[in-house]
């Protein structure tokens, strides 16, 4: 299992009281590799609605709240068909530094911060960063919830070989997409801070498995077969079927 056990000290109130150690479980741990919180400076005479929102300016630390990072510029309508950056459900654009490095190794000319991401994280299994998962940053003061995959658009053509911005589309290349997040708990984010991925702790639950989000469309978790892990259960079921059919 990739689950990690992390301990957090909770200091009790009252005079002379000692600290209690509480067990906090997360799926996996990584690091905040880079922060791109502030939008680029306005060009000469550019109207606010036409001003570029990326590449963003790198920062060592920045404050984030319900509508995103202080100093960011998110003009897209919240119901934009292409999923533009803006509004409380798309307050922060999150991506993987490991995915960026893999794309660069394939020859894509993108650079960190060039695709509009606010945060680059490293060390997290990106295929597990799905809508409904939660990301805890630093000492737990900042908590994000992944709300949707970020759709790439033609503005990103210059970042990719042959203009193939679909190289980071979740529909074309799973595990490589940027994601949008809601800010559940705001605060200051610092480069180098610990990043914890929660998939079934701290209130996280992937939307694809959550009837409260998708109703009858939610995929129920399959019941375990003889208490075995999915791969072992499939092997056991296949063996049993072969026995029934007289193939063994």
């Amino acid at each position: 299992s990739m689950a990690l056990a992390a301990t957090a000290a909770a200091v009790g109130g009252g005079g002379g009281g000692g600290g209690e150690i509480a067990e906090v479980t997360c799926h996996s741990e990584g690091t905040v590799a880079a922060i791109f919180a502030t939008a680029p400076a306005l060009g000469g005479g550019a109207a606010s609605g036409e001003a570029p929102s990326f590449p963003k300016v790198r920062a060592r630390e920045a404050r984030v709240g319900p509508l995103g990072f202080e100093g960011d510029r998110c003009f897209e309508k919240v119901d934009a068909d292409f999923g533009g950056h803006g509004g409380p459900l798309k307050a922060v654009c999150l991506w993987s530094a490991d995915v960026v490095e893999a794309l660069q190794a394939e020859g894509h000319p993108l650079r960190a911060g060039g695709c509009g991401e606010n945060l680059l994280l490293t060390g997290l299994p990106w295929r597990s960063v799905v809508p409904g998962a939660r990301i805890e940053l630093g000492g737990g003061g900042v908590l994000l919830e992944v709300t949707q995959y970020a759709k790439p658009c033609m503005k990103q053509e210059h970042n990719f070989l042959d203009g193939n911005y679909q190289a980071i589309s979740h529909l074309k290349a799973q595990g490589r997409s940027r994601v949008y997040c809601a800010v559940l708990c705001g605060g200051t984010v610092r480069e180098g801070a610990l990043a914890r991925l929660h998939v079934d702790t701290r209130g996280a639950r992937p939307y694809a498995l959550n009837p409260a989000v998708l109703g009858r469309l939610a995929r129920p978790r399959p019941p375990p077969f003889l208490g075995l892990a999915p791969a072992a259960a499939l092997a056991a079921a296949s063996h049993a079927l072969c026995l029934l059919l007289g193939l063994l």
Side-chain angles (χ1 to χ4, degrees), residues 183-198:
V183 180
L184 303 184
C185 299
T188 299
V189 181
R190 294 179 175 85
E191 188 175 305
L194 182 66
R196 291 191 178 102
L197 171 63
H198 295 273

Side-chain angles (χ1 to χ4, degrees), residues 3 16 21 28-29 31 40 48 66 69 91 97 111 185 209-210 217 232-233 241:
I21 301 298
S28 46
E29 292 182 348
T31 305
S48 61
F69 280 96
R111 60 186 178 88
C185 299
L209 304 175
N210 193 348
L217 297 178
L241 180 60

Side-chain angles (χ1 to χ4, degrees), residues 143-240:
L143 184 64
L144 310 177
E145 178 166 306
V146 179
T147 56
Q148 67 183 74
Y149 298 106
K151 300 177 184 178
C153 67
M154 291 189 295
K155 295 179 182 179
Q156 304 288 350
E157 283 183 332
H158 63 282
N159 286 319
F160 300 95
L161 286 172
D162 301 321
N164 181 25
Y165 58 88
Q166 295 294 338
I168 60 171
S169 166
H170 174 68
L171 298 177
K172 303 288 185 179
Q174 291 190 15
R176 287 193 162 188
S177 174
R178 301 161 300 155
V179 294
Y180 284 130
C181 300
V183 180
L184 303 184
C185 299
T188 299
V189 181
R190 294 179 175 85
E191 188 175 305
L194 182 66
R196 291 191 178 102
L197 171 63
H198 295 273
V199 295
D200 54 12
T201 49
R202 287 218 63 178
R205 189 176 183 186
Y207 293 167
L209 304 175
N210 193 348
V213 176
L214 295 184
R216 290 181 293 106
L217 297 178
R219 299 195 307 267
R221 291 185 184 274
F225 180 73
L226 300 178
L228 300 175
L234 179 60
S238 299
H239 185 77

Side-chain angles (χ1 to χ4, degrees), residues 85-103:
H85 187 180
L89 297 183
K90 294 179 285 186
V92 172
C93 185
L94 192 68
W95 207 13
S96 166
D98 305 311
V99 169
V100 171
E101 290 177 1
L103 288 165

Side-chain angles (χ1 to χ4, degrees), residues 103-133:
L103 288 165
Q104 289 172 334
E106 294 170 8
H108 294 287
L110 78 163
R111 60 186 178 88
C115 287
E117 67 272 20
N118 292 120
L119 292 175
L120 280 174
L121 306 182
T122 185
L124 296 182
W126 206 247
R127 284 181 175 267
S128 298
V129 181
V130 300

